[in-house]
Amino acid sequence: MESLSKSNSYQSRLIIRDYSNDKIRTKDYIFIEWRFGYEKPDRFSAEQYANEDSGSVYDMWTSVDGKHYNLLPVLGWIKEEQVEQIKNTDKMNYTLSLEKYAKLMEQNKADSVDLYDDQKNSKAYFMIKYKDPKWDFFKYGKEDMKYAVEIWVDKDTLLIVKAIGKVISKNSKMGKDINYDFIQLFSNHNGVVIQPPAHVYVNQKSEFMN
C-alpha cells in the first residue's frame, strides 16, 4: 500500500468500547485503550489501559527488534523471556499497528469509497467502507468475529489517519453476540523515534545492564 510505504513511523490511539457493560458507563464505556508508537522495521512502544469490574489496570511495554520489555512496579524494565508471552506481545503489536488495515485493504474489495471535504480545516479525506470483510483484527484466527470498518485516508498525503468500526463476537457462554465499537487515530507520521530501555532489570540483586 502506498500510504504504508510512505509512513516509516507514527503514533496511534486505539479505543474499544463495550456499550453493553453498564459497570464501565462512568468510563465512557471504554473497555480498553492503547496509546502506541511504531518505528520501522520492528520497534513498538505501547501503553495499555483496561477498565475491569474490579478497577483499572495499566501496562506498558517496548519492543525492539523482536525483544520485548515490560515496565513493572518497583523493578522498572524487565525483558520478557516466556515464549508464550512473547508470542502474545507479537500478536498485540500487530493488532495495534497499521499493518492490519493494509491486510484488510489488500484482501477485500471496498463496499464504497466517498470523499469527505472538511472545509473548516481545509482538508479532504477518502472514506473507504467495508461492511463484512474477511479480516483478522486481533490476529488470533477467531472465525466467530464479524466486522464493519471505515478507513479515513488523507487525500493529499494518502496516509491513513483514522479507522472506525464495529466488532461482533459470538459468546457461546453468554448465548449472545457481544458488540464492540472501536476507533483508532494515527498521527505524527514519520516523526517517531523509539529507543530500547536505558536500564533493564536482570536479577534479584537489582543489577542493571545498559
Side-chain angles (χ1 to χ4, degrees):
M1 302 297 294
E2 182 179 355
S3 61
L4 293 179
S5 65
K6 293 172 62 177
S7 185
N8 293 315
S9 66
Y10 53 82
Q11 289 177 304
S12 181
R13 184 181 183 189
L14 171 59
I15 295 174
I16 298 180
R17 287 183 167 89
D18 179 5
Y19 289 105
S20 68
N21 189 349
D22 285 337
K23 293 181 180 180
I24 56 175
R25 179 171 55 85
T26 58
K27 302 290 187 179
D28 196 22
Y29 293 99
I30 295 176
F31 167 61
I32 194 165
E33 174 183 351
W34 294 274
R35 298 179 185 182
F36 177 76
Y38 169 75
E39 181 186 10
K40 284 186 177 179
D42 192 22
R43 294 194 171 200
F44 305 84
S45 179
E47 296 179 65
Q48 176 177 282
Y49 307 84
N51 292 315
E52 300 180 351
D53 294 346
S54 58
S56 300
V57 178
Y58 172 81
D59 294 289
M60 182 175 181
W61 69 89
T62 295
S63 302
V64 177
D65 303 328
K67 298 177 182 178
H68 306 306
Y69 306 91
N70 300 312
L71 183 61
L72 301 182
V74 182
L75 293 180
W77 291 102
I78 186 167
K79 183 181 177 183
E80 182 59 65
E81 300 287 358
Q82 297 183 20
V83 175
E84 192 63 29
Q85 189 58 43
I86 290 172
K87 292 179 180 179
N88 289 338
T89 303
D90 286 337
K91 291 177 181 179
M92 183 55 65
N93 286 342
Y94 170 85
T95 296
L96 300 178
S97 72
L98 262 175
E99 183 182 350
K100 64 181 180 295
Y101 298 114
K103 296 289 185 183
L104 170 65
M105 299 170 76
E106 289 171 358
Q107 298 173 0
N108 296 270
K109 182 180 179 180
D111 290 284
S112 66
V113 180
D114 300 307
L115 182 64
Y116 172 72
D117 189 4
D118 183 358
Q119 296 182 354
K120 181 179 179 180
N121 296 302
S122 300
K123 297 289 291 183
Y125 304 93
F126 294 111
M127 296 186 299
I128 308 169
K129 298 181 181 180
Y130 301 86
K131 293 182 178 179
D132 187 16
K134 300 296 181 183
W135 191 42
D136 192 358
F137 182 90
F138 296 104
K139 203 177 183 179
Y140 288 111
K142 294 190 68 173
E143 297 180 357
D144 57 352
M145 287 188 174
K146 293 186 177 181
Y147 309 94
V149 188
E150 181 178 297
I151 298 174
W152 288 48
V153 177
D154 187 297
K155 179 177 178 291
D156 296 325
T157 64
L158 296 180
L159 293 170
I160 296 175
V161 296
K162 180 168 64 175
I164 306 169
K166 289 184 177 292
V167 180
I168 303 173
S169 175
K170 293 186 179 296
N171 191 312
S172 57
K173 293 183 179 180
M174 298 180 64
K176 64 178 182 179
D177 291 348
I178 305 297
N179 294 270
Y180 301 101
D181 287 21
F182 73 85
I183 180 170
Q184 185 162 12
L185 307 175
F186 295 94
S187 64
N188 201 15
H189 284 278
N190 298 313
V192 175
V193 176
I194 296 174
Q195 299 291 344
H199 302 283
V200 179
Y201 182 83
V202 292
N203 63 26
Q204 295 181 348
K205 295 181 180 179
S206 300
E207 294 178 359
F208 290 81
M209 63 181 181
N210 292 322

